Amino acid sequence: MRIILLGPPGAGKGTQSKELAGRLTLPHISTGDILRENVLAQTDLGKKAKDFMDKGELVPDKLVAKMLSERFAQPDIKSGFILDGYPRNLNQAKTLDGILSAKQMPVDLVVYLDTSDEVIIQRLTGRLVCSKCGANFHKTNMPPKIGSICDICAGKLYQRKDDLPETVKKRIEVYKNEASALIKYYKEKNILHTLSADGGANIVLREIIALSQNNS
Ligand code: AP5
């Protein structure tokens, strides 16, 4: 099954993708995670992407397209995938179609996680991420059992630099500029399903699983 999770920053794309990937035994492809790994490893891509990411802007399409097509050249995607953080605009949606149609692997389902600005800000400014395994926590919504330590691997939790309030505002603005064209694009292909993602993570997960069962 080939699934895209769309939605604003903080909609829960990463949280839901990780859970879904485990349950459906599919690889989770997050362009944000791949970019952060490149920044950390100080690769050429990471050096080019860092400033855009710190400012809450999109990394140029050309750089992300190359990164994505390298990821889609890996054999694990043959069984399907959960794509999180891509596409972010119409140009990226068309690039993705090009990559997937060359492999005869059309997208089965696009889930749009509709989230209010209030919820986005509360989630992102309280998010904690594990520096070792990348698991997501939240200071109040999903607190770790012990202080700033990951429940899963005991790694140290940190706050993402782009989760500072000013950068969150910028990310929401960037998202809103591109979202409607993207939503229209997938609506016209008849593969878009919209869910309200303001509710609890378990409720949202149940709804996504039901959609995946109805569309497989
Ligand atoms: P990326 O990492 O993709 O960030 P994003 O899209 O802004 O999404 P987030 O990771 O912030 O949010 P999420 O929806 O995954 O929410 P999460 O599950 O973590 O991208 C970062 C940057 O990389 C971009 O700004 C850009 O610069 C660059 N980039 C990435 N992709 C790109 C592309 N395609 N093109 C160009 N540039 C690109 O949840 C957030 C918090 O809420 C967590 O604390 C979680 O515990 C909590 N939470 C989640 N769901 C719930 C719930 N239902 N109830 C309560 N709490 C919840």
Side-chain angles (χ1 to χ4, degrees):
M1 178 125 210
R2 296 176 282 272
I3 305 175
I4 297 177
L5 293 192
L6 286 186
K13 303 181 296 295
T15 302
Q16 298 297 344
S17 297
K18 285 190 179 87
E19 199 55 42
L20 266 184
R23 293 189 185 218
L24 305 180
T25 332
L26 292 174
H28 167 207
I29 302 177
S30 156
T31 48
D33 285 351
I34 303 175
L35 286 166
R36 277 184 291 279
E37 284 161 16
N38 276 275
V39 170
L40 200 67
Q42 299 189 340
T43 63
D44 273 356
L45 169 63
K47 285 178 195 163
K48 286 177 189 151
K50 186 176 184 309
D51 270 359
F52 295 101
M53 295 173 76
D54 286 348
K55 284 191 247 162
E57 292 171 5
L58 292 183
V59 175
D61 287 354
K62 217 171 146 188
L63 292 178
V64 187
K66 183 168 177 285
M67 176 184 99
L68 192 78
S69 74
E70 285 167 6
R71 179 62 186 89
F72 275 109
Q74 302 293 317
D76 62 340
I77 61 135
K78 287 201 179 97
S79 55
F81 52 80
I82 319 274
L83 185 55
D84 149 23
Y86 196 99
R88 305 289 257 249
N89 57 33
L90 205 50
N91 185 39
Q92 292 192 0
K94 290 180 180 167
T95 299
L96 178 66
D97 280 353
I99 296 173
L100 295 178
S101 68
K103 295 180 184 295
Q104 295 179 316
M105 293 177 76
V107 172
D108 300 302
L109 172 67
V110 179
V111 183
Y112 170 52
L113 300 176
D114 193 11
T115 321
S116 64
D117 287 2
E118 236 182 1
V119 168
I120 295 172
I121 292 164
Q122 191 272 350
R123 285 187 187 165
L124 292 186
T125 50
R127 170 164 56 187
L128 296 169
V129 183
C130 177
S131 53
K132 222 163 140 191
C133 73
N136 271 325
F137 295 86
H138 189 280
K139 286 176 190 166
T140 53
N141 304 359
M142 302 176 190
K145 289 188 184 114
I146 310 165
S148 300
I149 304 293
C150 175
D151 291 357
I152 300 159
C153 73
K156 202 168 174 331
L157 303 181
Y158 72 99
Q159 183 175 30
R160 265 170 53 174
K161 206 170 169 185
D162 61 350
D163 280 347
L164 296 172
E166 276 317 299
T167 320
V168 167
K169 266 194 219 155
K170 176 69 187 172
R171 287 163 61 202
I172 296 174
E173 182 194 316
V174 167
Y175 172 79
K176 285 187 175 166
N177 286 341
E178 307 287 354
S180 51
L182 205 50
I183 289 163
K184 183 167 176 270
Y185 183 75
Y186 286 118
K187 226 181 221 168
E188 283 169 3
K189 284 179 174 277
N190 275 324
I191 50 173
L192 182 87
H193 295 261
T194 300
L195 292 182
S196 165
D198 278 357
N202 286 338
I203 299 169
V204 179
L205 179 65
R206 260 204 309 275
E207 292 183 18
I208 303 176
I209 290 174
L211 279 177
S212 71
Q213 287 165 345
N214 293 338
N215 289 278
S216 60

